Amino acid sequence: MPGGSRPSKKPQSLHWWHYPGRRRKLLLWVGAIGLFLLAVAAGAWNRVCAGGACPSIAGLSNYDPEEASKLYAADGRLITDFGLQRRTAVPLSQISPAIVAAFLAVEDRRFYQHHGLDWIRAFGALKRTLLGRTEGFSTITMQLAGNLWPEQIDRSQREGFAGLTRKMREARMAFEIERNYSKEKILELYLNQINLGNGAFGVEAASQRYFGKSARSVNVAEAAVLAALAKAPGRYNPRKSPRLAVQRRNLIIGMMEDWGKLSHESAEAWKAYPLTLSSRSDYSGVAQYFAEYIRQILQARFGTDLYRSGFRIYTTLDLDMQQAAERALEAQLTAIEDGSLGAYRHLTYRQYLDRRGDAPGDDAGPFSPYLQGLALTVEARTGYIRAMVGGRDFEDNKFNRVTQAVRQAGSTFKPFVYSAALEAGIPWSALVEDSPVSVEIPDQPTWEPKNYDSKFAGMMTMRKGMYGSVNTVAVKVGLRIGEDAVADMAANMGITTRIPRVPSIFIGSADVVPMELISAYTTFANLGVATTPVGILRVEDRDGRIIWQPETKERRVLDPQHAWLILDGLRDVVRRGTAAGAVAGRGGFTIPAGGKTGTTNDGMDVWFIGFTNDLVTGVWMGFDKKTVIKSNAQGGLLAAPAWAAMMREIYERRRTPEPWPMPEGLLEFDIDEGTGFLATPFCPREQVTHEYFYPGTEPLQHCPLHGPFRGGR
């Protein structure tokens, strides 16, 4: 103002930062705290691996991950695998670039720039944590460390001091790995090690299980599904949660676009790609009893290496035959239970499942409360096991009735009696009276065997007694040649269980292992040569070297002439005997075949063992705890139809075998069945039949009852 004085300016107060002394003191404090924290971090960095807490990485250069052994069918299809971790290790060069890009996009985009710990991502995660949003920052190398050494680096520990210690140990190991190995090696180990759910470890096993293809053939959408599984294998399993799996897949495809690995158009196309899963990655639900049978053999030979060494096990199994056997057996058992073949009063399999509910079976040893069955198919010339059904429900009851059960053979044992009789010089035309028989046994009650229908038909040929399964005829023939001859014949054909030297063995009282009984019939199919069943073709290591190759075993039991004679009698069982209606009649199976029905006392076991020129198949049905199946239970009524259904389906895909050629040296004549002598023109036509003879066993006289002939021929 004019003539006045200017108002004085109010002095500004200085901020404490403007005082050099205070600023210096603060910087000293910050530095001291920083040094202290650095010292603490350094100490923790060193202490985190003290006392051997961190594993050695020295073996990683020769790292050999645990790899499940794989079980293959004869045609190379995968049946299942043995191991806690289903893994097939492959080099990085055999992994699709799309898989590499998908995993890096979501898990570790700066993988090729960091040295084990991504500091940019770590500080970003710390900042977001301070803002209340938790975020992980593990690199692929850190994840690899946790996957390789889950005991020392427990990745389930996420909170508090334990979580911090785990993270530091993981980072420390990641630095060590990065310092010693190339990025390519680290990535290869990671992609072969990671758990991708459904029992699959590594991208190759997962690709096979989810998509039915190798990791080298996976496309972008499939690669993104695999990468999605890395976060939470259970949550994003495409088989169980396809919607969540697709959502996560598309998120990863978007990340690949943001990273510049996909164009916008390509990313949108792959997001629209349908989730296409293989209908079957393996046949682990098929042939479970067979797989377990093979596993037990291999574990006895290789021990725990079986589960971690990645063996390739090539078996004899034919998956098409196996599935035909499973279908035919279950269909027939169900038909029995639903009353289609007469009244059935036991607990059925379906009723058992309804009562059990979702609870798993208790696998009560060899006993299940419902009707059981088995089927086994063996290739006659090689002994190769082509199909094996050891029971109805492996998950409920793992007892394999083919290999572990011991059951009475019933009438399926009679071919051993007649084989021994033919070899002893008794021809098929020999007359035997079907009449009551009493056998005195020291220190035991008199044994009086009965026929199934308790009726007697009088005189008949031995052939008719065999194809009609007449008990009294079998007993009388057996008594003529002796228990030793019959027991020795059975043993020569492959029965290893004890066969008591008592007359009741002639009608099948001896206990046998079903596999041995069924494979013994290869002797008949092979015209006298018995083969031992085998289920393994070869075992290879993961590099393809054969480390075990079982040999097939065969032995001649009967000469071709006697073998053809017993074969021809067994063919009559199918042509006009106890199995004719079920096989050639209602069963519609017309391929040349032979076989024998079997029914034990009171109908507790029913059998049919049949064969063609190239396959031997046996079917059994019964209860694990011996119980009468039903009234009128017979092998021809219950077991033979399952055999016919199975074989009919098998031969829809398989070459029809030729009939057996008759070997040279046998003689053939028309005989009168009523007398067993050579037929004359005056013998009734219904009594005349064509018969075959081993030289020296043929009849030398013409029928004395019909016509003018008397004496020799």
Side-chain angles (χ1 to χ4, degrees):
M1 290 190 341
S5 63
R6 293 182 89 177
S8 64
K9 232 179 184 188
K10 188 176 179 180
Q12 266 187 329
S13 63
L14 295 176
H15 193 275
W16 63 268
W17 178 253
H18 292 91
Y19 294 94
R22 292 181 179 179
R23 187 165 66 242
R24 193 178 308 114
K25 186 181 292 186
L26 176 63
L27 291 174
L28 287 173
W29 271 107
V30 170
I33 292 171
L35 288 173
F36 174 76
L37 292 176
L38 187 62
V40 169
W45 184 262
N46 291 321
R47 287 289 303 166
V48 78
C49 286
C54 292
S56 170
I57 67 166
L60 270 187
S61 55
N62 298 314
Y63 177 63
D64 189 16
E66 285 192 10
E67 185 174 332
S69 295
K70 288 181 167 47
L71 191 74
Y72 295 98
D75 62 0
R77 282 184 284 179
L78 179 64
I79 301 172
T80 188
D81 38 25
F82 302 135
L84 298 176
Q85 298 183 354
R86 291 174 168 174
R87 175 187 287 110
T88 302
V90 293
L92 190 62
S93 60
Q94 293 183 22
I95 296 175
S96 166
I99 291 178
V100 175
F103 273 89
L104 291 180
V106 67
E107 296 294 333
D108 194 353
R109 197 174 296 186
R110 281 182 287 274
F111 173 71
Y112 283 99
Q113 283 75 52
H114 65 67
H115 299 287
L117 180 62
D118 186 348
W119 293 105
I120 296 175
R121 189 174 174 188
F123 284 123
L126 177 61
K127 176 183 176 182
R128 279 179 278 275
T129 298
L130 294 174
L131 294 175
R133 294 182 310 214
T134 303
E135 181 180 304
F137 60 90
S138 290
T139 63
I140 276 180
T141 316
M142 292 169 70
Q143 292 181 48
L144 173 62
N147 291 336
L148 288 174
W149 299 291
E151 294 181 0
Q152 294 96 329
I153 305 173
D154 184 357
R155 303 195 77 224
S156 66
Q157 295 178 338
R158 299 182 179 276
E159 305 296 334
F161 181 75
L164 179 61
T165 302
R166 188 269 297 178
K167 208 70 175 176
M168 292 188 69
R169 188 173 293 147
E170 202 174 65
R172 174 75 180 268
M173 294 309 302
F175 274 114
E176 289 294 314
I177 292 171
E178 292 268 355
R179 192 170 63 181
N180 288 275
Y181 299 100
S182 68
K183 289 287 187 179
E184 287 70 24
K185 180 66 175 178
I186 294 168
L187 192 56
E188 178 183 294
L189 289 171
Y190 171 79
L191 293 175
N192 279 304
Q193 188 71 23
I194 190 168
N195 177 13
L196 295 175
N198 203 24
F201 287 76
V203 295
E204 175 65 19
S207 298
Q208 294 287 357
R209 293 192 68 76
Y210 293 117
F211 308 118
K213 62 174 69 174
S214 170
R216 71 166 65 91
S217 305
V218 165
N219 62 36
V220 171
E222 293 162 344
V225 170
L226 297 180
L229 288 160
K231 180 178 179 65
R235 178 175 174 80
Y236 297 111
N237 185 328
R239 295 194 186 279
K240 296 180 179 179
S241 306
R243 184 180 61 82
L244 290 176
V246 169
Q247 287 178 354
R248 178 78 178 163
R249 177 199 73 175
N250 290 349
L251 176 65
I252 292 172
I253 291 173
M255 292 179 173
M256 295 171 74
E257 178 189 354
D258 294 341
W259 194 24
K261 299 299 181 181
L262 293 174
S263 67
H264 178 71
E265 293 76 13
S266 180
E268 291 303 309
W270 285 119
K271 287 179 182 179
Y273 191 83
L275 178 63
T276 306
L277 303 175
S278 65
S279 59
R280 186 187 291 275
S281 61
D282 60 25
Y283 286 78
S284 54
V286 178
Q288 290 174 291
Y289 288 98
F290 176 79
E292 175 62 12
Y293 165 69
I294 297 299
R295 187 196 67 79
Q296 291 175 9
I297 292 173
L298 294 175
Q299 179 172 296
R301 187 173 187 88
F302 297 107
T304 56
D305 285 348
L306 172 65
Y307 309 107
R308 62 191 184 198
S309 296
F311 296 148
R312 307 292 185 267
I313 305 146
Y314 295 92
T315 72
T316 60
L317 194 79
D318 184 306
L319 280 168
D320 294 327
M321 288 193 201
Q322 176 69 30
Q323 292 177 92
E326 292 180 3
R327 282 190 291 267
L329 183 65
E330 184 56 36
Q332 183 67 2
L333 290 168
T334 301
I336 295 170
E337 290 179 331
D338 67 17
S340 299
L341 301 174
Y344 182 81
R345 296 181 174 86
H346 301 289
L347 176 74
T348 70
Y349 176 56
R350 290 175 182 171
Q351 289 170 340
Y352 168 77
L353 292 181
D354 289 341
R355 292 183 186 181
R356 193 190 74 182
D358 295 330
D362 58 5
D363 190 23
F367 303 121
S368 60
Y370 47 86
L371 184 63
Q372 277 290 355
L374 68 83
L376 175 70
T377 295
V378 176
E379 194 168 79
R381 291 176 181 81
T382 60
Y384 290 166
I385 297 170
R386 295 306 192 187
M388 176 188 287
V389 186
R392 298 180 75 174
D393 187 339
F394 181 80
E395 297 303 325
D396 180 64
N397 188 287
K398 296 177 174 55
F399 182 71
N400 189 338
R401 291 148 192 89
V402 173
T403 61
Q404 296 174 297
V406 179
R407 305 293 300 203
Q408 281 192 341
S411 295
T412 58
F413 200 86
K414 290 176 182 176
F416 306 138
V417 177
Y418 292 112
S419 295
L422 288 166
E423 196 171 52
I426 304 174
W428 279 130
S429 62
L431 293 181
V432 185
E433 186 176 10
D434 174 22
S435 62
V437 59
S438 296
V439 181
E440 298 294 336
I441 303 174
D443 302 323
Q444 292 186 27
T446 300
W447 180 54
E448 297 180 345
K450 299 289 191 296
N451 290 327
Y452 178 79
D453 58 4
S454 299
K455 298 178 182 179
F456 302 100
M459 298 298 292
M460 64 179 63
T461 62
M462 188 172 76
R463 178 188 285 267
K464 188 172 184 179
M466 202 279 292
Y467 71 69
S469 200
V470 182
N471 285 343
T472 59
V473 172
V475 170
K476 290 178 179 181
V477 171
L479 289 171
R480 182 172 171 182
I481 59 177
E483 294 95 332
D484 288 343
V486 174
D488 290 345
M489 181 62 70
N492 289 339
M493 290 190 188
I495 304 298
T496 65
T497 49
R498 178 179 173 271
I499 303 171
R501 265 55 171 178
V502 294
S504 61
I505 65 170
F506 304 143
I507 56 174
S509 65
D511 289 332
V512 295
V513 176
M515 174 181 275
E516 293 183 355
L517 178 63
I518 295 165
S519 63
Y521 276 57
T522 60
T523 309
F524 311 130
N526 290 330
L527 290 179
V529 177
T531 54
T532 302
V534 61
I536 300 171
L537 293 173
R538 67 185 183 280
V539 179
E540 298 177 356
D541 64 16
R542 66 178 67 178
D543 296 320
R545 293 185 294 265
I546 296 176
I547 57 177
W548 186 42
Q549 191 165 20
E551 295 181 2
T552 56
K553 297 178 182 178
E554 61 180 44
R555 59 199 176 281
R556 179 161 287 282
V557 179
L558 296 169
D559 62 71
Q561 290 79 17
H562 283 114
W564 190 90
L565 288 172
I566 184 65
L567 158 70
D568 192 57
L570 291 169
R571 288 201 63 191
D572 268 350
V573 173
V574 174
R575 290 182 291 209
R576 52 179 171 167
T578 54
V583 175
R586 296 181 301 276
F589 187 76
T590 57
I591 293 172
K596 186 68 188 75
T597 55
T599 308
T600 60
N601 291 341
D602 301 319
M604 294 184 183
D605 301 83
V606 293
W607 297 84
F608 182 69
I609 305 175
F611 55 90
T612 63
N613 201 346
D614 64 339
L615 295 176
V616 176
T617 296
V619 174
W620 166 90
M621 296 171 183
F623 285 91
D624 291 329
K625 288 184 178 180
K626 294 187 178 181
T627 306
V628 177
I629 299 170
K630 61 186 294 294
S631 63
N632 197 32
Q634 302 174 53
L637 177 66
L638 303 186
W643 184 94
M646 172 186 171
M647 300 306 287
R648 194 171 59 245
E649 182 177 344
I650 286 173
Y651 280 109
E652 287 175 356
R653 305 184 186 91
R654 189 176 178 91
R655 178 187 61 82
T656 301
E658 298 294 326
W660 293 266
M662 187 174 74
E664 295 182 2
L666 290 176
L667 305 175
E668 46 188 314
F669 299 98
D670 286 337
I671 65 163
D672 185 308
E673 283 190 312
T675 65
F677 290 118
L678 298 171
T680 75
F682 304 97
C683 292
R685 289 297 92 190
E686 65 272 12
Q687 286 187 203
V688 176
T689 186
H690 200 70
E691 191 55 271
Y692 304 90
F693 300 89
Y694 191 84
T697 65
E698 72 277 12
L700 301 178
Q701 292 181 313
H702 285 88
C703 172
L705 298 182
H706 306 104
F709 298 101
R710 298 290 185 272
R713 59 182 190 184

